[in-house]
Amino acid sequence: MGLSVGASGSASLGDSSATARANATGIAGGADDDRITNTAIITAGTTSDNPDAMALAQADSTTVDVGIAVGYSNREASANASAFAVANAAGISGGSGNDWIDNSGAITVGPDPLGSGGMAAASGSSDAVSVTLGLGQSLGKSSSNTSSTAVANLAGISGGTGNDDVYNSGVITVGRDFSDSVEPEEAMATAHAASETVSVTIAFGDSLSDASSNASSTAKSSSIGIETGAGEDWIENKNNGVIRAFSSSEAVGFAKTKSVSLTVRASDGKAESNASSLSTSLATGIDSGDDADEIITDSDVLVKSHAMSTTLSKAENYNLLSLGSAYQSADANSSSTAEAIARGIDGGTGGDIITAAGNYHISADTLVESTSRSSTATGFAAGENVQESQSQAGTVSDALAIGIDGGEGSDTITSTANLTVTTFSNADTEATSSSNTGFNI
């Protein structure tokens, strides 16, 4: 708290950032040409002993500015927070080079099926509070800004770049099935961002104040049973080599701004809030990557991809008293996007040869919500009274499921597989605005 006499200016700034990176690999071949044979059980990821995500980042920032000024004053309060978490896990990784991988053991990659944590979680929160009592002209600016990003990359067997030969006859489970018993915050990748700004101004003179809050969240999850990168690869999955790949992501953005003023002269104030969230989820049973590859598989494949995205933006501007002209605005914007992609087999680019049998169950679903609310109100104004309240909300919800996808190039696909492919996409959008001019003379 500060007291100033005469012209004064102050700035209260708070910044917080957190980064978490976690990597887990059962067998890593590294660079060059490797030969890997595995017949044992491999588990990579987290266990039920750890209730948190494998990579957990949390950043919080709070700024409080309180000032009393006799004379002209210019004050600023800002709080900023950013959180970034990335988790990478693989059962067997060949790395670069021409690798030969033969697996007959059970591979499990991801969180414990009975646990409550995901793989990557980022949480950020910023709060800015500004209180000004001015005996003279008062200028003020307050803001809170938060960004959160969570990325989870999981693979049962990863051949990497080069011309790889991959043989699998073991059961591969990647990720955790996102069923009704799993809470949204237990997704493979979760990102939460929250920003809140409160501005209170009491001025015995002209008052100009702006308050804003911004929250942005991004969650990306990828779960692949068997993958190879660029190069001409051979993938053979036979003899009960069941593949289960589950991917899920959740992104949440919340922004709230409230501005309250009482002025004995003219007042001009703006309250703005912006919230955005992006959630992408990719799940694939077998992905051969670029170039001309050959895939032979006769085992069952279960693939599920789930993406959730939620935003809420709220802006409020209240002018209790203005003995002069009053100009107020409140602007709330929210944008929410979710994309879920599930593929049983993905040939990628190049002319691929795919021979498939077995039972395939492939599903992708998305759930998106976006809400914006804005309001302005004046108690009493002795002068011109102008108010503007605006809300915008947008959603994008995309779900794609494909049993066997040859990708780009001239492919040859021979299938005797039983394919069950389902999708579900849901989007909910709400925007409301209100203005109340109160009593004006």
Side-chain angles (χ1 to χ4, degrees), residues 25-37 90-101 157-160 164:
T25 304
I27 299 175
D32 299 326
D33 302 339
D34 307 307
R35 188 177 182 90
I36 300 173
T37 301
I92 300 175
S93 176
S96 59
N98 301 326
D99 305 313
W100 186 92
I101 300 173
I157 299 176
S158 178
D164 304 313

Side-chain angles (χ1 to χ4, degrees), residues 259-277:
S259 178
V260 180
S261 62
L262 187 154
T263 58
V264 184
R265 287 195 70 178
S267 66
D268 190 332
K270 181 179 180 180
E272 183 178 2
S273 66
N274 301 284
S276 64
S277 61

Side-chain angles (χ1 to χ4, degrees), residues 70 88 94 135 142 161 189 197 297 364 397:
V70 180
N88 300 304
L135 301 177
S142 53
T161 59
T197 299
T297 177
S397 181

Side-chain angles (χ1 to χ4, degrees), residues 253-312:
F254 172 79
K256 181 180 180 180
T257 302
K258 177 179 286 187
S259 178
V260 180
S261 62
L262 187 154
T263 58
V264 184
R265 287 195 70 178
S267 66
D268 190 332
K270 181 179 180 180
E272 183 178 2
S273 66
N274 301 284
S276 64
S277 61
L278 171 63
S279 177
T280 61
S281 174
L282 171 65
T284 308
I286 300 175
D287 184 353
S288 63
D290 298 334
D291 299 318
D293 310 304
E294 184 163 357
I295 301 172
I296 300 174
T297 177
D298 62 6
S299 300
D300 294 346
V301 175
L302 173 62
V303 177
K304 293 183 179 181
S305 182
H306 185 82
M308 298 165 289
S309 184
T310 305
T311 54
L312 172 61

Side-chain angles (χ1 to χ4, degrees), residues 37-41 92 102-107 157 167-171:
T37 301
N38 177 66
T39 60
I41 296 174
I92 300 175
D102 186 2
N103 175 70
S104 59
I107 296 177
I157 299 176
Y167 301 88
N168 178 66
S169 58
V171 176

Side-chain angles (χ1 to χ4, degrees), residues 222-264:
S222 174
S223 296
I224 302 175
I226 300 175
E227 66 172 352
T228 55
E232 297 181 358
D233 308 307
W234 171 282
I235 299 175
E236 185 174 310
N237 183 62
K238 305 184 76 175
N239 299 326
N240 298 319
V242 176
I243 295 177
R244 294 188 287 258
F246 308 111
S247 177
S248 54
S249 59
E250 185 210 23
V252 177
F254 172 79
K256 181 180 180 180
T257 302
K258 177 179 286 187
S259 178
V260 180
S261 62
L262 187 154
T263 58
V264 184

Side-chain angles (χ1 to χ4, degrees), residues 12-73:
S12 300
L13 307 176
D15 292 283
S16 175
S17 64
T19 300
R21 295 184 177 92
N23 299 281
T25 304
I27 299 175
D32 299 326
D33 302 339
D34 307 307
R35 188 177 182 90
I36 300 173
T37 301
N38 177 66
T39 60
I41 296 174
I42 295 177
T43 301
T46 63
T47 65
S48 57
D49 297 334
N50 181 15
D52 297 322
M54 188 169 125
L56 175 63
Q58 184 170 344
D60 299 306
S61 177
T62 300
T63 298
V64 178
D65 180 79
V66 179
I68 301 175
V70 180
Y72 169 84
S73 69

